[in-house]
Each structure stands twice: as structure tokens, then as C-alpha cells.
Amino acid sequence: MSTPSRPETSKTVEQLRLSGQLPSPKGVALAIMDICRRDDATIEAIARIVQVDPALSSRLIHLANAAATAGGRPVASVPDAIQRLGMVTVRQVAVCFSLMDQYHTGPCKAFDYDRFWSHSLLMAVAMQALGAFGRLGSPDELFACGLLARIGYLALATVHPAEYSALLEKCPDQSRLAELERAHLQADHNDFTAAILADCGIPGALAEPVYHHETPDRSGFAEGSRPYQLVQLLHHARRVADMGLAPDHARSGIISELMLLGGKLGLDGNELGDVLDRILARWGAWGELLHVPARRLPSFASMAAAPAPKSDAPKTSAIRVLLVEDEPTSRMLLEAQLISLTGPEVHSASNGEEALALALKLQPHIIVTDRVMPVMDGIALSRALRATDWGQSMYVLMLTGVDTEEEIVEAFEAGVDDYVTKPVNLRALSARMRAALHYVQLLEAWERDRAQLKQFASELAISNRKLEHLALTDLLTGLPNRRAGMATLSQAWSAATRSRQGMSVMMVDIDRFKSINDTHGHAVGDRVLADVARLLRASARNDDHVIRLGGEEFLVICQNTDLRSTLEAAERLRRKVAAASIEAGRALLHVSISIGVASRESTMPDPDSMLAAADQALYAAKQGGRDRVCLNSAGSLICRSTR
């Protein structure tokens, strides 16, 4: 499938962009954008500008710490925060925060500014957290991307306040909003978002998925490609934000969808719940820092386990009925009638207080209660039930001797589902109980579907984790394979670019491996590969990544290190392998390795150039007699003697 192209920016958007009418950064953020465009931009220069704005300083420090890996040193100063985030990310998030500060309110009456920023902030936090599972980009850059993903809505509310307010009132369903925007305003919110993202320095590789994230299945991106994964990630983050702002009764469907989306990320129900709880907690912390509303929500586990909404219906086994009637004779007659309608599990209580205790113990499906009783009447009982999680899904049928409009309204407002007037007519009671039983059956079906969904999501998560492990692991050695190694190398390169810390690589090759296969057979060759892999992994430093590239070739990625330390580590690996004995049937084999080392240099445009330099060094080590370490530094090849 071909990669989709985004429509060219409309003339309307371009004119507004050139005229400066689109939402744009001001003050410190604008100064940061200007200095970042200069070739001689430095972290110190940007830090001096940032420190003029105490609010931006604290936000950048907060962002740097929020994205830090577990056990990482906390950031306490602006220069350290900028070094950790990188200048590109600092520019992007400074723009985001500037827009947020400027457009807390506006002239578009039907546009909810607080809700917009609350949703955008939650989407940003979700992008940062969920992006870690797909390793699709810098967490801080994904944060900025999520914060601006819906900025086109704000742009339309800003440049066309009256017209857009009328459109929003006319079209509460956002699925048709883009169509109406194009018809009435000659451009839709996606066009405006694309223009603002370009101005903010968001790269096209991220901006393109943003454009399509509302309808990811129509994006046309090749399945499994990075744009496809990004557009799905953006959609997932948006649904998390939708859940966070949804009213209680509307969360159920979104939660079910998130369980399936979590399965695609390799997360089962419990793991997904932990991640979403962390996202909601970070949303609250960011909300306080940015003065943006962030709701306090229950844990994801409790939201997922909440009773089904009545409008959906979804419960059946033996139907448990609780009859609440204070008059003994009436209670006996009604109990007999209910047994004939629903079965033997009919329990009774003489007042609301007794019924409440029994309901907690029995968890009845249906409660048939008199309205007027001593101690606690039927209205108070219904209110007490609806105030609990476990009582919300019980079906309450009220018996009343009064059916005035006021009395009936009061009963329904208290949570009663239906009523029968007294004296009770058996046919009327039978009809009402059929409706109650239908509700119970639907409720049970809903609960079964939800349980199956959770099980399916869990199985999907396990399956995806296994598939991902197989796709990224070399089965013989257990090391990450070439595909995983290239992804790790790209991430390490990006991290080194942002932090300006050193990184190096070692290309490792087993000497004369073909002769081992030819002399001893492929089974022994496999044993040699597995044992060398084990030695490399055991001898490497904790922060190093050991990868099998293929054949007898391995790659070691060394982060946060200088060239001298890498050379010492390479020599240690070489000696470790040379001193080891490998069983080959009854004989013991001694093998050696050659290692080529290269470090990240300012003249290198990408990680492939560093690999090529290390490969040249490896070739020199082989040509120089094998069993040695060779360095490629600024194009000069230096081989260390094994003596």
C-alpha cells in the first residue's frame, strides 16, 4: 500500500498563516525559537533565556524528570533539564506552553477552552507514557506532539469565533465537524493543525500521523511501518483523553476499547490499569502546574469493574429476589406470587434497614419493596442502594398505594426502576416482573461479554508479547537480533544527540568461524556462537547492549561513555573470550574474536556512518592478524597489539 499524502495547505490557511492570525508563541518561547534557528545555538544561551521565565523553567524541569528512566538522577537546574531534553524538544514544548498560557479563554462562545486544554494535556501525557512501549520517538517530543494534536480546533475558534461557534452548536457530533468546517470555512481543523505543527518545528514524520489520527484506519500507512504505529499511538492517546473527560455513564465503551488497544501494545488488563493510573496521576500533577483542569478519577480497575449502565442493560443464573414488606399477611401472599414467577430464591425483609443489610449479603437481582414502611421506607432504601457500587445495578420495583405524579416522580428520582400500585394485581405484577427479568438477563449478558473481553485482551497481550519477543530475538543466542539492534542504536543515537553525551559501538567477529563449522560441524558451530554470546553478555557493562547481527558477527552499543572506556571494555571482552574453553564433543575449543571500535563524531550524519566506521576498524583487525582490537577515529585506523 502506498504512503498517503496529506492535502496541500489550503490558500485560506496559508493566508492566515502569513498574516500572523493563527495562534503563535510570544515572549520567551519566540526568543527560544529564534536562537534555535542559529547554527551557533548552545544550551547555555537557551538556559539564559529560559531562566527569565520562572514558570517555563519549572515546567521544563518537571518534564525532564517525568520522562527520566527509573533510577535516573533527578534534574534540578534549567541547564541540566535542557541537556536532558535536547534543544529541539525545548523549543517545541516552550511553544506549547506559550500557546496554552495565551489561549486559556477566547471569543468563541461555544468552544470550551478549559475542556480543550484538559483533553490536550491528558493526550500529551498519554503519548509520553504509551510511546515508551513502542519506542517510536523521544518521550518529550511525543508529549509536545500530543499537546498540539488538536490545535486546529483552537485555531478555528480563534480566527473565526462567531462562525465556528455557530458550527459547534449546529454539530455536537465531531465526526461530521471536519466536513462542515470545509464547507463553511474553506479549511478544516486538520489543515490548521498541520500548519501550526510546521511552524512549531514538529518534524513531518510526526506531523503526518497527527493529520490522520482521528481516522487511523483510513490513513493508508503500510501496516507495521513507523507512520502506521505512530498514527495508532496517537489514536490510543486520544481515546485515553476521551475516557478521562467522559461522563461516568459514557466511560464503559471507551474502557472496553482501551482494553483491546492495550492488548495490541502487549499489556494485559492489570498492566494496562497500572499504566493508565500513572497517566491520570501525571495528568493531575501537570494540571496543577499549568492551571489546567484535571479530574480526579477512580483507579482504572474500579472504573472497569463499575456496574453496567442501565441504558445498555447487561445478568442470569438463579434469580435472587428480595421482597421488602412490613405487613406479614401481604408479605406471605407476595412471596408466594414471586416464587411462582421467578423461582425459589425469594427472600424477605420487614423494613428498609433490614433489607439493606440482606441486600449486601445476598446481592439480589431484583428488589420488590413497599413504599411506606417503618424504620426506613422504600424511597430511602432505593436512595441508599443507588449510593453504593454494588447496589447500582439492582432492579428496584416499588409497591405503592399512591400513584400521583409527584409521588411517582419522587420514586424515579430516588432510583426506582418501575412501580405497581396496591392492592397488587397479579397480572400487573407478572408484567412488571417480566420486564425486570429481561433487564437481569441483558445485564448478565453484558457482564459475560465484559469478562470475555478482559480475557481476550489478556490473551492478545500475551500473544503480542510472545510475537514481539520472537520478532526481536535471535533464537540461538537469546540476544536481540539485527532488527532490535538497529532500533536500539537509533534510540541511543537520538539520546546522545539530545544530551550531547558520548556513545560508541563495537563490531565483534569470531575468528576463523567457517573452519570451525567445516571441521567440527554446524552443531559445534552453534555451540560456539551461543557460548561467545554468553561471554559477551556476561562481560559487557550494565548499560551496554549486546546484539547478534547475523552469522558470527555481533554488535555492542555503549552509551554515555568515552572512547578510552570503550577501548578498555573491548579489550576486556577479547581477553575473556580468548581465555574460555568451549566443549566440542570430547575436545575443548579455544576461539578468539576481533573487534572494531568507533565513536560518535560531529562529522557523522547518522548512526549508519558510525557503524560503517566500526566495520572498517573490524576489517583492519582481521587484516592485522585477528584476535585484536582496532579503533577508527576521525578516519585513522589504530590497532592494539595483543601482547
Side-chain angles (χ1 to χ4, degrees):
M1 185 180 293
S2 60
T3 301
S5 59
R6 180 178 57 77
E8 293 297 322
T9 304
S10 71
K11 290 183 180 179
T12 302
V13 177
E14 192 59 32
Q15 288 168 357
L16 291 167
R17 185 183 186 183
L18 293 174
S19 66
Q21 295 183 55
L22 294 185
S24 58
K26 291 182 173 59
V28 170
L30 195 58
I32 291 172
M33 288 182 69
D34 289 339
I35 199 169
C36 283
R37 293 190 183 103
R38 291 162 39 185
D39 293 336
D40 60 348
T42 63
I43 287 176
E44 292 75 18
I46 295 174
R48 284 195 294 271
I49 296 174
V50 170
Q51 286 166 335
V52 172
D53 186 341
L56 179 59
S57 299
S58 65
R59 292 167 182 179
L60 289 177
I61 291 171
H62 185 88
L63 181 63
N65 286 320
T69 55
R73 179 177 60 86
V75 165
S77 69
V78 170
D80 285 348
I82 296 172
Q83 185 173 41
R84 178 171 288 181
L85 295 171
M87 290 192 292
V88 171
T89 300
V90 169
R91 178 188 64 187
Q92 292 169 356
V93 297
V95 169
C96 294
F97 295 146
S98 176
L99 294 176
M100 185 175 285
D101 290 338
Q102 291 178 70
Y103 297 96
H104 259 309
T105 59
C108 186
K109 293 181 180 178
F111 188 79
D112 190 334
Y113 291 86
D114 278 344
R115 182 180 177 85
F116 169 80
W117 285 118
S118 184
H119 187 284
S120 297
L121 181 59
L122 181 49
M123 187 170 173
V125 175
M127 280 290 289
Q128 186 183 55
L130 296 176
F133 293 96
R135 295 173 291 189
L136 295 172
S138 156
D140 319 302
E141 195 168 46
L142 293 177
F143 179 93
C145 193
L147 199 58
L148 293 176
R150 302 171 70 246
I151 198 70
Y153 291 104
L154 177 70
L156 283 166
T158 302
V159 299
H160 300 297
E163 299 93 328
Y164 201 51
S165 184
L167 279 186
L168 291 173
E169 290 173 349
K170 181 180 179 181
C171 181
D173 178 10
Q174 288 199 346
S175 63
R176 292 191 56 245
L177 191 54
E179 178 186 339
L180 288 175
E181 290 166 353
R182 286 190 295 272
H184 292 271
L185 304 173
Q186 290 74 55
D188 65 33
H189 57 270
N190 293 311
D191 297 322
F192 281 86
T193 295
I196 294 172
L197 289 179
D199 287 344
C200 293
I202 300 292
L206 283 173
E208 198 72 27
V210 168
Y211 185 87
H212 295 282
H213 84 277
E214 292 180 353
T215 52
D217 294 336
R218 296 203 299 242
S219 68
F221 294 125
E223 188 168 351
S225 66
R226 184 170 183 264
Y228 175 87
Q229 292 175 299
L230 279 167
V231 80
Q232 295 294 332
L233 174 63
L234 282 154
H235 181 67
H236 295 186
R238 177 168 183 152
R239 293 305 281 158
V240 172
D242 291 343
M243 180 204 72
L245 274 74
D248 294 349
H249 69 272
R251 280 201 209 107
S252 178
I254 302 176
I255 285 174
S256 299
E257 183 181 349
L258 288 176
M259 286 182 180
L260 289 176
L261 297 178
K264 291 180 180 180
L265 289 174
L267 300 170
D268 63 25
N270 293 332
E271 292 165 332
L272 176 66
D274 290 342
V275 171
L276 290 177
D277 287 345
R278 288 197 298 272
I279 289 172
L280 294 174
R282 289 180 188 173
W283 181 40
W286 272 114
E288 289 183 16
L289 189 64
L290 299 172
H291 308 294
V292 170
R295 298 171 62 189
R296 288 185 178 275
L297 295 174
S299 69
F300 182 78
S302 24
M303 288 191 289
K310 287 196 175 183
S311 56
D312 293 347
K315 218 165 167 185
T316 185
S317 47
I319 301 298
R320 296 182 298 279
V321 179
L322 176 57
L323 171 63
V324 193
E325 169 63 72
D326 63 311
E327 206 283 309
T329 304
S330 297
R331 186 165 65 245
M332 289 177 59
L333 290 172
L334 283 168
E335 191 170 336
Q337 290 174 341
L338 290 171
I339 289 173
S340 69
L341 293 171
T342 63
E345 278 221 50
V346 177
H347 307 266
S348 60
S350 59
N351 60 62
E353 192 173 274
E354 184 183 333
L356 195 60
L358 266 177
L360 176 59
K361 178 183 177 181
L362 299 172
Q363 295 289 300
H365 301 95
I366 303 169
I367 295 179
V368 181
T369 178
D370 194 6
R371 179 189 176 95
V372 180
M373 294 179 295
V375 186
M376 177 187 282
D377 64 15
I379 295 291
L381 171 62
S382 184
R383 288 197 180 108
L385 287 168
R386 299 314 188 201
T388 67
D389 289 338
W390 51 269
Q392 288 178 13
S393 60
M394 295 176 184
Y395 194 94
V396 179
L397 178 64
M398 181 162 286
L399 310 175
T400 178
V402 183
D403 61 353
T404 64
E405 183 177 342
E406 292 78 9
E407 298 278 354
I408 298 305
V409 168
E410 182 186 16
F412 282 126
E413 287 179 346
V416 170
D417 294 290
D418 205 347
Y419 72 98
V420 177
T421 57
K422 299 174 72 173
V424 176
N425 178 282
L426 182 58
R427 289 185 62 191
L429 179 63
S430 177
R432 298 298 197 278
M433 290 301 293
R434 279 199 299 272
L437 289 169
H438 180 62
Y439 164 77
V440 170
Q441 290 163 355
L442 288 173
L443 185 62
E444 285 200 341
W446 189 92
E447 294 288 0
R448 283 195 300 272
D449 288 346
R450 181 163 62 179
Q452 290 172 358
L453 174 64
K454 290 179 74 173
Q455 178 64 24
F456 174 72
S458 177
E459 291 172 357
L460 179 63
I462 294 169
S463 174
N464 280 340
R465 279 201 294 262
K466 288 179 178 177
L467 289 172
E468 183 179 12
H469 179 75
L470 289 173
L472 300 176
T473 303
D474 175 63
L475 297 182
L476 175 63
T477 63
L479 295 175
N481 61 16
R482 185 182 190 90
R483 178 183 171 191
M486 294 304 99
T488 301
L489 180 64
S490 177
Q491 291 164 25
W493 180 273
S494 298
T497 302
R498 290 198 306 276
S499 64
R500 299 191 175 182
Q501 292 178 327
M503 72 169 292
S504 305
V505 292
M506 307 179 202
M507 294 286 283
V508 181
D509 190 90
I510 301 175
D511 295 327
R512 299 182 176 86
F513 183 72
K514 184 177 183 301
S515 66
I516 294 173
N517 274 335
D518 292 344
T519 304
H520 301 282
H522 288 282
V524 171
D526 286 349
R527 171 67 65 84
V528 169
L529 285 169
D531 281 5
V532 169
R534 177 180 53 78
L535 291 167
L536 292 177
R537 184 164 46 193
S539 304
R541 298 169 307 176
N542 290 337
D543 292 339
D544 293 344
H545 301 274
V546 182
I547 293 116
R548 184 186 178 194
L549 292 179
E552 65 271 27
E553 198 168 52
F554 299 85
L555 171 68
V556 182
I557 302 170
C558 309
Q559 294 180 263
N560 303 327
T561 186
D562 56 27
L563 193 54
R564 180 177 177 180
S565 299
T566 305
L567 282 171
E568 290 174 355
E571 184 60 28
R572 185 172 62 251
L573 292 180
R574 185 195 67 77
R575 289 198 302 267
K576 188 82 171 179
V577 172
S581 299
I582 298 173
E583 292 184 10
R586 295 181 180 179
L588 290 178
L589 289 181
H590 292 274
V591 299
S592 64
I593 57 174
S594 298
I595 304 176
V597 176
S599 282
R600 181 178 180 275
E601 298 174 2
S602 58
T603 56
M604 294 177 175
D606 51 44
D608 288 340
S609 55
M610 182 171 58
L611 276 187
D615 203 39
Q616 290 174 359
L618 175 62
Y619 181 77
K622 289 284 192 183
Q623 293 295 106
R626 299 182 176 85
D627 190 20
R628 66 192 60 230
V629 176
C630 189
L631 164 69
N632 188 343
S633 178
S636 298
L637 295 168
I638 306 167
C639 288
R640 299 180 62 164
S641 171
T642 57
R643 295 180 181 179

